[in-house]
Structure formats: C-alpha cells, structure tokens
Amino acid sequence: MISQPLPDLTIYNENGTLFDLKKEKGKILVFDLWNSSCGNCIKAFPKFDELKKEFKDDTTIRFYSVNIPLDRDIDKKEAVRKFTHEYSFQTLYADKNISKTLHIEAVPTYLIIDKNQTIRYVGDLNTEKDIFYNNFYDILNKIK
C-alpha cells in the first residue's frame, strides 16, 4: 500500500455524515485505526493525543482516530465514545471493509497520507528518538 493512492474509503463522522476525504487533499492525514476489543489500541490513545497536541499549530496535519467496527454492539458510537471522549483527536467511524481495502491485519495500525492523498506509511506509531526506522517525525519531515 505504500506509495499507492488512498483508495475510496467509507468513513463517517460523529453525526453519521459521510466524511469526504477528498476535502482533506492538501493536508497530511494521520489515521489511528483501532477497534474496541483491542486493549493496546486504547492504551495508545494518550500517545496519539499527545502527538495531535504537539502539532496543534500546524494547519497542514490532521489527526483522526478511525474505529473499525466489529460484529458486536460494543462498537456503537456511544460505546466508542466512552474510550475516546477525553481526547482532543476527532473520532471517525469506518465500515467493515476498511481492513480489507487497506490490507490491515492487526490493530492498532497507523496510516500517514501525504498532501496528494498517497499512502506514505502503514504500521506502528514509532516516536521514540532512538528508533530510526519508520520514525513518525522522520516520515513527516520527508513528506512536508
């Protein structure tokens, strides 16, 4: 998926309105893909929120938490909000096909999409300074 155009994805905002990714062209998008049965995903929210706050003054970057639904009631919006309500990032809701479309086999998975809506990274959120391979900051610097 790296260096491929972002495929059409069905994603909704909190109000249930289709989220138009084409309107985000010209922005760098950072997606945190997760589901409510993933304890590690939920534990990683503070780190993701910290990054969003770190880049709050950079109008070229957008951070989104994208919930991938399961076949259970727990992924209803009210249940998802109990995990995300205290954070500053916006939560979006994907359809079940997003994993197949993006070839996501496990969560949490982070996607970085450049201003031309090309996928530039799929994987872990590596932010530690001693991690040189696929470091979040290095990836951002390369695509800015």
Side-chain angles (χ1 to χ4, degrees):
M1 295 296 305
I2 305 296
S3 300
Q4 297 294 314
L6 182 66
D8 289 333
L9 302 174
T10 305
I11 299 176
Y12 299 91
N13 64 19
E14 283 280 331
N15 301 323
T17 305
L18 193 60
F19 185 79
D20 188 358
L21 286 167
K22 291 182 184 7
K23 288 185 179 178
E24 297 292 299
K25 193 167 186 169
K27 306 290 184 198
I28 296 169
L29 306 178
V30 181
F31 286 165
D32 171 6
L33 302 168
W34 67 285
N35 67 44
S36 60
S37 70
C38 173
N40 288 333
C41 298
I42 295 160
K43 286 179 189 173
F45 285 165
K47 182 177 173 180
F48 189 67
D49 197 45
E50 236 176 77
L51 276 175
K52 190 218 180 256
K53 289 176 181 176
E54 183 177 338
F55 288 92
K56 72 178 189 281
D57 296 328
D58 189 335
T59 60
T60 65
I61 302 174
R62 301 271 193 265
F63 290 82
Y64 296 107
S65 163
V66 182
N67 178 261
I68 300 172
L70 301 171
D71 288 329
R72 302 185 329 209
D73 286 344
I74 194 165
D75 282 309
K76 291 187 176 171
K77 287 181 187 172
E78 300 78 33
V80 169
R81 279 188 205 112
K82 81 177 179 182
F83 297 119
T84 61
H85 75 278
E86 65 187 86
Y87 301 107
S88 63
F89 51 74
Q90 182 178 352
T91 301
L92 301 174
Y93 301 83
D95 70 2
K96 292 178 188 179
N97 296 324
I98 194 170
S99 294
K100 188 184 330 177
T101 302
L102 294 173
H103 307 285
I104 304 297
E105 295 180 13
V107 289
T109 295
Y110 299 88
L111 229 62
I112 300 177
I113 300 144
D114 71 16
K115 295 176 182 184
N116 297 314
Q117 297 201 328
T118 300
I119 297 173
R120 298 297 295 269
Y121 178 75
V122 179
D124 295 330
L125 189 62
N126 300 316
T127 57
E128 291 76 23
K129 293 182 187 336
D130 60 341
I131 296 178
F132 300 105
Y133 184 71
N134 288 333
N135 184 289
F136 177 80
Y137 298 103
D138 291 340
I139 295 166
L140 278 186
N141 285 330
K142 287 177 188 172
I143 63 178
K144 279 187 141 206

